């Protein structure tokens, strides 16, 4: 029996008791510009590194691109209505830098700003709080041509972009995220080359990581100067519990390194004003290149206080030693159920990373900026799509949010990734993360059972 055809009593009995949301808490959903908007040539938008990357043969599965995606640039009003019908209280979207500054700097494209202003106003009209991300990976290609994030100057350009957007949207958007997952941009984009701009060079990736963190600090300054005092600014990091596959010294060593690579390389600069020394040494030894991107004063800019930390959580990492430089760690076989991406499912990992931030770094307000799962969904039949695995993933992680709050984490928002099935980067349209199904031929939207579960969950959390 499916979640949608069960009797109301049976459904209520099967449904978990929602946690009690603390005052001000909001349940939300997240997306990103290149993954949903389409209309990549509309209204003066410039080319981004993801347009270039997706149009390069062999980079994205099936040759998929974001040219049309969910056609959200034209259908945003319906998408906002849809969100309102699902009781969504907070919406995290990203702003495409090449819509605002088509060549990365210079002339401002007012039509780009107007789009996001209308979007943010449309959210407010529907009682949904906007959360704007400035960088969700779509660097203007013109800046890439000048060296991209490997150039320090790009961080300065980013601060200028932040100032422009902050001045225009500051009256409508209160919550701001500078960078989304700098680990992905730096290392997947510049060491492994699986994401745009597709560079494979470790010393470059390390420079990039520093410039991304610097850009966060500079953009935060620029936003604060442009925004009202009530505005809040943070960064979104993807955090992973790292688990040694075996309980011996080599595996614990591998876990230390992986943790340094994915978590501490970003948490330490932001909260302690310094890169982890063990990782600096490892990188310098293994690459034979000095890590000399940081300049005097940078670490103070990077470690200036944040109003909140954005946390993206998907899965734990199970690791074992390997011979491959520079990290000498690799993924071990997952234990237990995995998602369509092959990511291990472990809701307790969310509680774990939040406890770590609170106890090892800072007890600051937390926004869960992303959490979700891709599965090979069946077809829509008579307007219904049952996605029991995604529903269970969502229910399990909502429970973990409640537990983290009970533990003492100051969680203010939860955003499910994602509102819509969308362009999943190098996986193209194959991996579906949406709680709402998108038919990419007709652009029809169909809330999956997980979306209806979430709607009812929010409803019950508000009534209890
Ligand atoms: C995160 C990205 C987001 C989406 C999810 C599945 O790393 O921030 O855009 O692709 O993964």
């Amino acid at each position: 029996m499916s979640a949608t055809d069960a009797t109301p009593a049976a459904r209520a009995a099967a449904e978990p008791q929602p946690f009690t949301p603390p005052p001000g808490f909001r349940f939300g959903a997240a997306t990103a510009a290149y993954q949903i908007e389409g209309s990549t040539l509309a209204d003066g938008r410039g080319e981004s590194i993801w347009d270039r990357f997706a149009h390069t043969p062999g980079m994205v599965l099936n040759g998929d691109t974001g040219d049309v995606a969910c056609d959200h640039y034209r259908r945003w009003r319906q998408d906002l209505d849809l969100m309102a019908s699902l009781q969504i209280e907070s919406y995290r979207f990203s702003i495409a830098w090449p819509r605002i500054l088509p060549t990365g700097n210079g002339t401002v494209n007012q039509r780009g700003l107007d789009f996001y202003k209308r979007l943010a106003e449309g959210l407010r009209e529907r009682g949904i709080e906007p959360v704007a991300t400035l960088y969700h990976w779509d660097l203007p290609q013109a800046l890439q041509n000048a060296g991209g994030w490997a150039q320090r100057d790009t961080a300065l350009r980013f601060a200028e972009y932040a100032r422009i957007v902050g001045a225009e949207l500051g009256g409508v958007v209160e919550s701001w995220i500078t960078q989304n997952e700098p680990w992905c941009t730096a290392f997947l984009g510049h060491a492994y080359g699986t994401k745009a701009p597709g560079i494979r060079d470790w010393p470059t990736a390390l420079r990039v990581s520093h410039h991304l963190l610097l850009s966060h600090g500079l953009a935060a300054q620029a936003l604060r100067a442009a925004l009202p005092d009530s505005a809040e600014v943070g960064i979104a990091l993807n955090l992973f519990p790292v688990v040694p596959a075996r309980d011996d010294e080599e595996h614990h060593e591998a876990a230390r390194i992986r943790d340094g690579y994915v978590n501490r390389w970003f948490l330490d600069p932001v909260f302690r004003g310094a890169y982890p020394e063990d990782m600096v040494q490892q990188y310098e030894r293994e690459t034979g290149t000095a890590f000399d991107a940081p300049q005097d004063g940078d670490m103070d800019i990077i470690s200036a206080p944040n109003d909140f930390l954005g946390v993206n959580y998907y899965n734990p990492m199970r690791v074992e030693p390997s011979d491959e430089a520079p990290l000498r760690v690799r993924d071990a076989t997952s234990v237990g159920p995995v998602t369509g991406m092959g990511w291990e499912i472990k809701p307790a990992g969310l509680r774990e990373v939040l406890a770590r931030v609170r106890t090892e770094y800072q007890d600051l307000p937390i926004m869960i900026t992303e959490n979700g799962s891709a599965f090979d969904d069946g077809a829509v039949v008579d307007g219904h799509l049952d996605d029991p695995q995604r529903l269970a993933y969502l229910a399990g992680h909502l429970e973990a949010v409640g537990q983290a709050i009970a533990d003492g984490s100051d969680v203010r928002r939860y955003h499910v990734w994602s509102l819509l099935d969308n362009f999943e980067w190098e996986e193209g349209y194959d991996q579906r993360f949406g709680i709402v199904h998108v038919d990419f031929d007709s652009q029809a939207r169909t809330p999956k059972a997980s979306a209806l579960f979430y709607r009812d969950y929010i409803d019950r959390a508000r009534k209890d």
Side-chain angles (χ1 to χ4, degrees):
M1 187 162 62
S2 75
T4 39
D5 61 13
T7 63
R11 277 174 60 196
E15 277 168 1
Q17 182 59 28
F19 67 86
T20 306
F25 184 93
R26 287 170 192 270
F27 294 96
T31 64
Y34 189 72
Q35 296 182 272
I36 63 164
E37 286 178 358
S39 299
T40 53
L41 302 174
D43 297 338
R45 177 184 179 279
E47 188 189 11
S48 82
I49 57 173
W50 267 96
D51 297 293
R52 181 68 64 94
F53 188 78
H55 281 272
T56 305
M59 292 305 173
V60 175
L61 205 65
N62 306 318
D64 290 343
T65 73
D67 289 0
V68 179
C70 306
D71 197 23
H72 171 78
Y73 190 77
R74 298 193 301 170
R75 296 171 191 263
W76 62 271
R77 285 186 187 80
Q78 292 106 289
D79 288 339
L80 266 47
D81 289 342
L82 175 64
M83 259 190 274
S85 78
L86 293 175
Q87 313 273 12
I88 302 285
E89 302 167 340
S90 175
Y91 177 52
R92 175 183 178 226
F93 61 96
S94 83
I95 296 172
W97 189 348
R99 287 200 193 279
I100 311 302
L101 292 152
T103 58
N105 55 55
T107 317
V108 176
N109 178 34
Q110 188 60 41
R111 287 177 295 174
L113 285 172
D114 291 345
F115 171 72
Y116 295 106
K117 194 159 187 191
R118 282 195 299 267
L119 182 76
E121 286 168 352
L123 287 163
R124 286 222 174 281
E125 283 159 19
R126 291 165 179 81
I128 304 169
E129 274 275 326
V131 181
T133 301
L134 288 176
Y135 190 75
H136 205 123
W137 307 353
D138 40 4
L139 184 74
Q141 180 63 37
L143 290 184
Q144 187 62 45
N145 297 346
W149 288 110
Q151 289 296 325
R152 188 179 172 89
D153 187 56
T154 300
L156 309 182
R157 300 280 71 78
F158 185 65
E160 174 62 7
Y161 156 60
R163 187 191 61 75
I164 293 163
V165 176
E168 183 80 14
L169 299 184
V172 209
V173 178
E174 286 235 320
S175 302
W176 294 83
I177 289 156
T178 55
Q179 288 284 347
N180 176 68
E181 299 189 353
W183 174 75
C184 288
T185 304
F187 297 106
L188 304 183
H190 299 81
Y192 292 101
T194 52
K195 287 186 157 57
I199 291 168
R200 289 167 197 244
D201 183 67
W202 276 86
T204 300
L206 290 162
R207 291 186 70 72
V208 165
S209 66
H210 180 68
H211 294 151
L212 291 168
L213 285 167
L214 179 64
S215 83
H216 154 67
L218 292 172
Q221 283 177 0
L223 284 172
R224 289 187 200 289
L227 298 173
D229 284 350
S230 55
E232 39 177 35
V233 182
I235 183 171
L237 300 179
N238 45 338
L239 301 179
F240 304 87
V242 180
V243 188
R246 290 219 309 261
D247 190 13
D248 61 28
E249 207 177 309
E250 289 74 27
H251 283 75
H252 280 275
E253 173 68 359
R256 174 188 63 76
I257 298 170
R258 175 65 69 85
D259 178 51
Y261 164 56
V262 295
N263 297 316
R264 289 184 288 122
W265 192 253
F266 298 92
L267 287 167
D268 283 22
V270 168
F271 291 106
R272 296 180 182 161
Y275 287 95
E277 197 44 45
D278 60 327
M279 295 309 295
V280 173
Q281 280 176 19
Q282 166 137 1
Y283 288 135
E284 294 194 334
R285 190 175 63 238
E286 294 278 355
T287 65
T289 310
F291 176 57
D292 58 4
Q295 295 185 5
D296 283 354
D298 286 4
M299 301 316 289
D300 290 340
I301 296 171
I302 292 171
S303 60
N306 289 291
D307 298 306
F308 64 89
L309 176 68
V311 174
N312 293 1
Y313 173 76
Y314 288 91
N315 57 294
M317 288 179 164
R318 203 165 290 277
V319 298
E320 60 193 17
S322 93
D323 290 334
E324 200 190 323
L327 294 168
R328 307 194 181 274
V329 185
R330 67 173 172 221
D331 289 327
T333 314
S334 302
V335 175
V338 297
T339 69
M341 298 287 281
W343 296 347
E344 197 171 312
I345 301 173
K346 192 184 174 201
L350 174 56
R351 188 178 176 187
E352 233 174 87
V353 297
L354 296 183
R356 183 191 192 179
V357 168
R358 188 181 75 247
T359 58
E360 286 182 39
Y361 290 94
Q362 195 190 325
D363 184 4
L364 80 170
I366 298 286
M367 222 187 249
I368 312 289
T369 30
E370 290 180 27
N371 171 246
S373 56
F375 288 104
D376 196 2
D377 296 325
V380 176
V381 179
D382 295 335
H384 294 290
L385 197 164
D386 261 327
D387 59 341
Q389 293 166 298
R390 188 177 293 96
L391 191 157
Y393 183 101
L394 178 57
H397 286 77
L398 284 168
E399 189 184 358
V401 173
Q403 290 165 340
I405 292 169
D407 292 344
S409 283
D410 183 8
V411 185
R412 306 279 176 97
R413 298 192 192 203
Y414 171 85
H415 297 96
V416 64
W417 183 274
S418 180
L419 176 68
L420 302 169
D421 288 336
N422 61 45
F423 177 80
E424 178 46 37
W425 310 114
E426 69 272 27
E427 307 292 338
Y429 295 98
D430 253 36
Q431 295 289 343
R432 291 176 175 266
F433 274 90
I435 56 169
V436 174
H437 177 269
V438 176
D439 177 328
F440 292 105
D441 295 323
S442 67
Q443 290 294 345
R445 272 78 160 136
T446 308
K448 303 176 190 177
S450 56
L452 304 180
F453 159 79
Y454 194 34
R455 178 197 63 194
D456 294 349
Y457 186 98
I458 300 168
D459 212 39
R460 285 182 298 125
R462 290 300 167 209
K463 282 196 183 116
D464 289 345

